[in-house]
């Protein structure tokens, strides 16, 4: 029995080590992650934030390489609701697709729900996505997310496939007591309580250089130009869900070594902000930061020491997450006396 346990533990340790090595070898680079969003539809579902009845939120044919949806809703009823995302294969042959997702809540803490969803989704960008195959003319539920009474559920879901115009993605809120009435299609759309934003872009690239002689600089995440709904031309202030891919070149043109630090900085009055970044192939979480009564908290998330005349590239990915108050600033500084 002892020998068997040793063998089982040894096998488990070997398997775990093998899995970690594989993930290390095949860990996606910054360019790999950035390319995920080149041909993508981004849908944001947050209106209304408080749901008072079930219904169909949207249905959309996957006509690009991927579709990504970020949702954040509160259940204002006294009964639980269920948010569903399903996929229908409209073709006569099986279709393969990948799915990546992060779910937060149900929770009474709106900031926590949004952050949990963002963190789990960003983790999935660093590993191989879950692969699925859907038989012809069939439907599969890919997300089932409970929203308890007077709580918030937040989610971030990405579906990708090489087959375009064959997969129909449908999202709605279901009342488990009356499921047959929840995701209807026969009611005119004008009566629906849900209004989503189908954004005019899914990601933005920022290329910037900072020299130590500048001492301090910043770049804004979630600011103008705002993403717009492709049909209604409505602007979404804060750019929630928009993926920011930042290529930063750090330069020390001075004759002595200099340390450069990057900070996450809330900029709106009465703001409560968090964030999640993928930087150096790792996840970096930003804690709860606030700006209130002219008192601001900020968090350092990266630092490096540069020799004289040395330069260095640093790249990271992040997006404005649900439950927070974007825009925020990324502060770059080489002078400790500032701020």
């Amino acid at each position: 029995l002892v020998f068997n346990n040793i063998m089982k533990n040894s096998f488990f340790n070997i398997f775990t080590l093998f899995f970690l090595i594989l993930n290390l070898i095949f860990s996606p680079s910054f360019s790999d992650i950035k390319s995920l969003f080149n041909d993508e539809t981004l849908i944001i579902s947050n209106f209304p934030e408080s749901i008072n009845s079930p219904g169909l939120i949207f249905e959309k044919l996957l006509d690009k390489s991927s579709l990504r949806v970020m949702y954040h809703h509160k259940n204002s009823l006294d009964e639980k609701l269920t948010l569903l995302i399903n996929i229908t294969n409209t073709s006569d042959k099986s279709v393969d697709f990948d799915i990546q997702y992060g779910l937060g809540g149900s929770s009474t803490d709106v900031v926590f729900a949004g952050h949990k969803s963002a963190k789990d989704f960003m983790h999935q960008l660093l590993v191989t996505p879950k692969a699925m195959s859907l038989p012809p003319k069939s439907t599969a539920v890919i997300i089932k997310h409970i929203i308890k009474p007077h709580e918030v559920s937040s989610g971030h879901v990405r579906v990708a496939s090489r087959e375009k115009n064959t997969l129909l993605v449908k999202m709605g809120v279901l009342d488990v007591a009356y499921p047959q009435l929840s995701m209807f299609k026969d009611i005119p759309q004008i009566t629906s309580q849900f209004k989503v934003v189908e954004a005019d872009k899914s990601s933005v690239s920022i290329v910037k250089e900072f020299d130590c002689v500048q001492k301090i600089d910043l770049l804004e995440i979630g600011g103008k130009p705002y993403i717009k709904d492709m049909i209604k031309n409505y602007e979404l202030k804060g750019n929630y869900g928009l993926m920011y891919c930042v290529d930063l070149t750090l330069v020390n043109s001075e004759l002595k070594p200099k340390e450069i630090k990057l900070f996450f900085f809330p900029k709106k009055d009465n703001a409560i902000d968090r964030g999640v970044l993928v930087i150096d192939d790792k996840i970096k979480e930003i804690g709860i930061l606030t700006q209130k009564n002219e008192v601001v908290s900020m968090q350092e998330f990266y630092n490096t020491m540069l020799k004289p005349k040395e330069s260095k590239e640093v790249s990271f990915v992040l997006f404005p997450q649900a439950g927070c108050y974007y825009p925020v600033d990324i502060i770059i500084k080489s002078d400790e006396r500032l701020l």
Side-chain angles (χ1 to χ4, degrees):
L1 181 62
V2 173
F3 177 76
N4 287 339
N5 286 336
I6 292 174
M7 291 301 293
K8 287 179 182 178
N9 289 335
S10 298
F11 177 78
F12 176 78
N13 290 334
I14 293 172
F15 179 81
T16 302
L17 181 61
F18 178 72
F19 180 78
L20 291 174
I21 292 173
L22 276 181
N23 268 313
L24 185 63
I25 294 174
F26 297 105
S27 179
S29 65
F30 173 77
S31 60
D32 292 332
I33 294 175
K34 184 179 177 180
S35 68
L36 293 176
F37 314 106
N38 288 342
D39 182 38
E40 180 175 76
T41 297
L42 171 63
I43 293 178
I44 301 97
S45 178
N46 183 237
F47 183 85
E49 184 170 345
S50 295
I51 302 172
N52 55 33
S53 65
L56 177 67
I57 297 178
F58 77 87
E59 57 181 348
K60 171 73 177 176
L61 197 65
L62 183 59
D63 55 359
K64 294 186 178 182
S65 298
S66 61
L67 181 147
R68 185 162 54 92
V69 56
M70 187 178 82
Y71 61 85
H72 187 79
H73 289 290
K74 179 180 179 180
N75 178 3
S76 61
L77 302 177
D78 294 327
E79 303 292 334
K80 74 176 181 180
L81 295 170
T82 302
L83 188 142
L84 290 180
I85 301 179
N86 61 35
I87 295 185
T88 299
N89 178 4
T90 64
S91 73
D92 296 319
K93 62 178 183 178
S94 293
V95 175
D96 297 329
F97 65 93
D98 294 336
I99 178 172
Q100 296 159 304
Y101 62 92
L103 305 181
S106 175
S107 172
T108 57
D109 187 336
V110 297
V111 178
F112 168 79
H115 183 75
K116 174 70 164 51
S117 166
K119 181 182 71 172
D120 289 355
F121 178 78
M122 295 293 260
H123 269 294
Q124 298 226 339
L125 297 183
L126 298 177
V127 297
T128 303
K130 181 180 180 181
M132 301 182 69
S133 183
L134 197 57
K137 305 297 184 182
S138 64
T139 299
V141 174
I142 59 170
I143 296 294
K144 184 177 182 181
H145 198 174
I146 300 294
I147 317 178
K148 295 178 181 178
H150 308 290
E151 293 190 359
V152 171
S153 286
S154 190
H156 205 126
V157 183
R158 180 177 181 272
V159 177
S161 178
R162 294 182 179 178
E163 301 289 335
K164 297 182 180 180
N165 300 306
T166 59
L167 295 176
L168 182 66
V169 182
K170 185 176 178 181
M171 182 170 116
V173 175
L174 196 73
D175 183 342
V176 293
Y178 303 98
Q180 69 276 13
L181 300 178
S182 294
M183 290 175 71
F184 41 73
K185 288 182 59 179
D186 57 339
I187 304 297
Q189 191 174 5
I190 194 170
T191 66
S192 174
Q193 67 170 313
F194 298 104
K195 300 290 188 293
V196 301
V197 172
E198 184 176 337
D200 55 351
K201 56 187 174 183
S202 173
S203 65
V204 62
S205 294
I206 297 176
V207 179
K208 188 177 182 66
E209 181 176 298
F210 174 81
D211 194 312
C212 291
V213 296
Q214 296 173 248
K215 299 187 185 301
I216 191 166
D217 201 355
L218 60 84
L219 59 91
E220 189 177 48
I221 305 297
K224 295 180 179 181
Y226 299 126
I227 54 178
K228 294 182 179 180
D229 181 84
M230 294 182 63
I231 297 174
K232 300 181 287 293
N233 208 33
Y234 166 78
E235 285 186 337
L236 181 64
K237 293 183 179 180
N239 286 343
Y240 295 94
L242 182 67
M243 198 64 67
Y244 285 78
C245 305
V246 181
D247 280 299
L248 189 59
T249 301
L250 305 176
V251 179
N252 181 14
S253 61
E254 299 189 15
L255 299 178
K256 59 182 178 180
K258 298 291 290 187
E259 185 179 30
I260 298 177
K261 296 181 178 181
L262 305 185
F263 294 86
F264 195 95
F265 184 90
K267 63 183 299 179
K268 293 183 67 176
D269 290 337
N270 299 315
I272 300 176
D273 286 311
R274 297 200 68 179
V276 183
L277 304 93
V278 174
I279 182 167
D280 291 338
D281 300 325
K282 295 182 180 66
I283 294 290
K284 182 65 179 180
E285 289 187 67
I286 304 299
I288 295 177
L289 304 177
T290 60
Q291 179 174 157
K292 191 172 183 179
N293 299 327
E294 299 184 352
V295 177
V296 184
S297 58
M298 62 182 186
Q299 180 177 330
E300 177 187 328
F301 65 88
Y302 177 84
N303 68 78
T304 187
M305 183 67 72
L306 294 184
K307 299 175 183 177
K309 307 301 181 181
E310 184 183 11
S311 65
K312 184 175 184 177
E313 304 290 330
V314 58
S315 302
F316 54 90
V317 178
L318 76 161
F319 64 89
Q321 65 183 44
C324 294
Y325 299 88
Y326 281 74
V328 300
D329 284 333
I330 302 297
I331 293 179
I332 315 160
K333 67 169 189 170
S334 59
D335 191 331
E336 285 292 338
R337 295 170 297 178
L338 300 176
L339 287 182

